[in-house]
Every structure is written in C-alpha cells, then in structure tokens.
C-alpha cells in the first residue's frame, strides 16, 4: 500500500538521534524513504554500525554529523552539511535533550546553563540556519520535541520545564514567521516514554525514595499519566510523519500533547 505521507526523497536532520526518541524518529523517517542526517553523542563504532544498518535496511542515504548541541558553530555546520551532502533540507527535528532534577536552591548553575543550551538554544541555532534553505525551497517542516513539561510543570525540574516552555514559544514564533513561505513549525509534547533518559530517572528516584524501580514506575512516573502506560515510539512517529507530510500543512504553531491525558487534568 502506498504511504499516505509521500516523503520519499526528502531530507531530514534529527538531532539527538543516537538514542531513544530521536533514534526511533529517524528510523521512522528513513522507512518512508527520507534521507537522514543523524546526530548525537555515543561510541563512534556503535554509531557507525547503526548508521550503516539503517542505510542498508531503509535503502536511503544516512549520514552522521557529531555537532555538539551546546555549540552554535557546530549546529550551523551540521545544517550546511545536510544541504551540501544531500542537496536540500525539508524536515528539521529538534530532539536532543537532557534532564537534571534538583530543588531550585541547590540546582547547579552549570546544569541550568547546559539544559537551556541543549533543550532550547540549540533549536534556535538549528532553525536559524535551516529557515533560509527552507524558504528558498518554498517548503519546510520544523518539528520540535518539547514535552508535557512544555505545558505544565513538576517540582525539581526548573531548567527542563523552563526550556520546554521556551521551545513551545519559539515554535509559535517560527510558525508565524514561516507561514507564508510554506514552512510550518510545531511542537510535539510527549508524556513519559521509556528511554535511557527516563530509565536514569527511575533509578535515581528509586534511590531517593527508597522504593523499587517497579514502585517508582507505577506510583511516581506513571502517576501523572492517566493511561498508566508509557508513550510508545511509533505513537510519536505517527504524529511526526503527519506533521512532516502535506497532510500536516495546516497544523502550524501547535503544541500537541501525546501524554495519555496528563495535561488534560
Ligand atoms: P535520550 O537520553 O535517550 O537521548 C538524548 C539524545 O540527545 C541522545 O542521542 C544524546 O546523544 C543526545 N544529546 C545529548 N546531549 C547532546 C549534545 N550536547 N549534543 C548533541 N546531542 C546530544 O533521551 P530521550 O528520552 O530520547 O529524549 C529525547 C527528547 O525527548 C528530549 O528533548 C527529551 O526532553 C524529550 N522528551 C523525552 C521524554 C521521555 O519520557 N523520554 C518525554 C518528553 C520529552
């Protein structure tokens, strides 16, 4: 059956795609025939193995750029690399992100700066470099992976919640600026997804609260999520593909929750 998304031959950058959500989104795009620039940290040999495997499986071009999302020059170089190597840039998925949990009075200043840089400012730099390419093409799709924490807060996550609310505001602004040029910008706001980022929180909370990891998952993490289920990768990929395709042309400036009802409360 033909895909409803018609994305074959498009080019996408997915930041933070060596792990978790970004990796899953990159795989979903590649399966639709999209050529991909992967990005993120990790063991070089493992990254190259995954890159080559995805390229072979999906039959698309898959490149890797190791830009550090705290470094504006490296981010701009990654966007230029996509255009130079793959000829265009249709889809930018700003996904790289980190977390740190602490009461605000003890929150390390360096951690605040790092989270704002990776979870918010990196998207500004990537969008700033991508928009001229997308404007010249007359079409572009910017998809920012925010969070339920872009819509509501939780205690002890000051930097993360501030960055994610910030990215929702950035999304709206870019949506207005790009609208007539055929560029849309939207934020996907997931609830909890079981990735290394969340696995680390489960371990930390279990230690802090003297609970088992199973108790933390049920009574702490999924307490916020009315479905009591983690959000799955393919549920996020489905919304991303919709937004990236022509079906999503009128979705612009939205912050779309996929959180099992968390932010409905
Ligand atoms: P993850 O830890 O599995 O992956 C994070 C990715 O970002 C990795 O590829 C890592 O190498 C990369 N990264 C980190 N710092 C970087 C840097 N300085 N430069 C380049 N790459 C860097 O995390 P995840 O859970 O897949 O999270 C991905 C995104 O989804 C984040 O923005 C996160 O805030 C968001 N999110 C996650 C959840 C969840 O429950 N897991 C929920 C809502 C939103």
């Amino acid at each position: 059956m033909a895909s409803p998304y018609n994305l074959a031959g498009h080019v996408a950058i997915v930041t933070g795609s060596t792990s978790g959500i970004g990796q899953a989104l990159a795989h979903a795009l590649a399966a639709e025939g999209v050529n991909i620039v992967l990005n993120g940290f990790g063991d070089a040999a493992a990254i190259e193995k995954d890159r080559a495997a995805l390229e072979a499986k999906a039959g698309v071009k898959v490149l890797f750029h190791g830009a550090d999302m705290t470094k504006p020059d490296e981010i701009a170089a990654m966007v230029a690399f996509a255009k130079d190597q793959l000829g265009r840039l249709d889809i930018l998925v700003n996904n790289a992100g980190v977390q740190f949990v602490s009461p605000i009075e003890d929150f390390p200043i360096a951690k605040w700066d790092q989270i704002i840089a990776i979870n918010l400012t990196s998207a500004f730099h990537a969008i700033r470099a991508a928009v001229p390419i997308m404007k010249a093409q007359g079409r572009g799709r910017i998809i920012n992976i925010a969070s339920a924490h872009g819509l509501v807060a939780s205690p002890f996550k000051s930097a993360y919640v501030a960055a994610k609310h910030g990215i929702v505001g950035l999304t709206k602004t870019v949506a207005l600026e790009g609208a007539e040029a055929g560029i849309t910008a939207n934020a996907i706001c997931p609830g909890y997804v079981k990735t290394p980022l969340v696995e680390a929180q489960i371990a930390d909370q279990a230690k802090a609260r003297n609970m088992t990891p199973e108790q933390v998952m049920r009574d702490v993490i999924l307490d916020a999520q009315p479905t009591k289920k983690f959000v799955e990768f393919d549920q996020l990929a489905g919304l991303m593909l919709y937004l990236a395709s022509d079906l999503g042309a009128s979705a612009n400036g939205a912050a779309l929750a996929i959180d099992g009802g968390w932010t409905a409360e």
Side-chain angles (χ1 to χ4, degrees):
M1 199 177 75
S3 164
Y5 304 115
N6 280 318
L7 294 171
H10 285 215
V11 171
I13 297 174
V14 185
T15 72
S17 46
T18 53
S19 169
I21 294 171
Q23 189 172 52
L25 297 181
H27 279 246
L29 285 164
E32 292 293 323
V34 176
N35 300 306
I36 308 283
V37 175
L38 298 171
N39 158 263
F41 291 159
D43 173 67
I47 291 172
E48 172 51 24
K49 200 169 152 219
D50 288 351
R51 184 207 64 76
L54 179 57
E55 192 167 63
K57 186 172 97 180
V60 295
K61 282 200 174 244
V62 181
L63 306 179
F64 173 75
H65 193 285
D68 178 341
M69 289 293 122
T70 63
K71 305 227 163 85
D73 294 353
E74 294 186 20
I75 298 168
M78 176 181 66
V79 172
F81 172 82
K83 166 87 170 117
D84 291 349
Q85 298 294 313
L86 299 172
R88 46 191 299 115
L89 177 59
D90 302 282
I91 304 160
L92 170 65
V93 182
N94 288 304
N95 165 79
V98 291
Q99 175 63 286
F100 189 80
V101 178
S102 162
I104 194 157
E105 61 270 35
D106 301 325
F107 211 96
I109 293 168
K111 282 286 175 197
W112 169 276
D113 289 343
Q114 183 203 31
I115 290 177
I116 299 297
I118 298 172
N119 295 18
L120 174 59
T121 309
S122 74
F124 160 74
H125 292 296
I127 293 167
R128 184 176 181 276
V131 160
I133 301 168
M134 292 176 171
K135 274 193 177 160
Q137 290 171 181
R139 188 186 190 282
R141 293 287 188 268
I142 294 164
I143 300 167
N144 296 322
I145 307 304
S147 167
H149 283 123
L151 304 170
V152 296
S154 297
F156 314 128
K157 297 185 176 176
S158 53
Y160 189 86
V161 170
K164 294 299 187 181
H165 275 67
I167 206 157
V168 168
L170 175 66
T171 304
K172 291 180 185 176
T173 309
V174 174
L176 297 180
E177 291 187 28
E180 286 195 44
I183 302 170
T184 66
N186 291 284
I188 297 179
C189 300
Y192 282 105
V193 190
K194 205 150 174 265
T195 68
L197 184 139
V198 167
E199 308 259 15
Q201 283 186 62
I202 294 169
D204 289 350
Q205 296 263 18
K207 218 181 321 161
R209 293 169 187 259
N210 202 15
M211 294 166 89
T212 66
E214 291 69 31
Q215 284 172 320
V216 170
M217 265 189 276
R218 192 189 57 237
D219 299 336
V220 181
I221 305 267
L222 293 180
D223 188 46
Q225 226 150 264
T227 50
K228 304 293 173 210
K229 286 185 181 139
F230 284 102
V231 177
E232 302 291 336
F233 290 140
D234 57 0
Q235 297 164 356
L236 298 175
L239 179 55
M240 174 198 62
L241 292 173
Y242 161 77
L243 293 173
S245 75
D246 285 343
L247 295 172
S250 294
N252 196 24
L256 299 154
I258 303 203
D259 63 4
W262 173 352
T263 55
E265 289 198 82

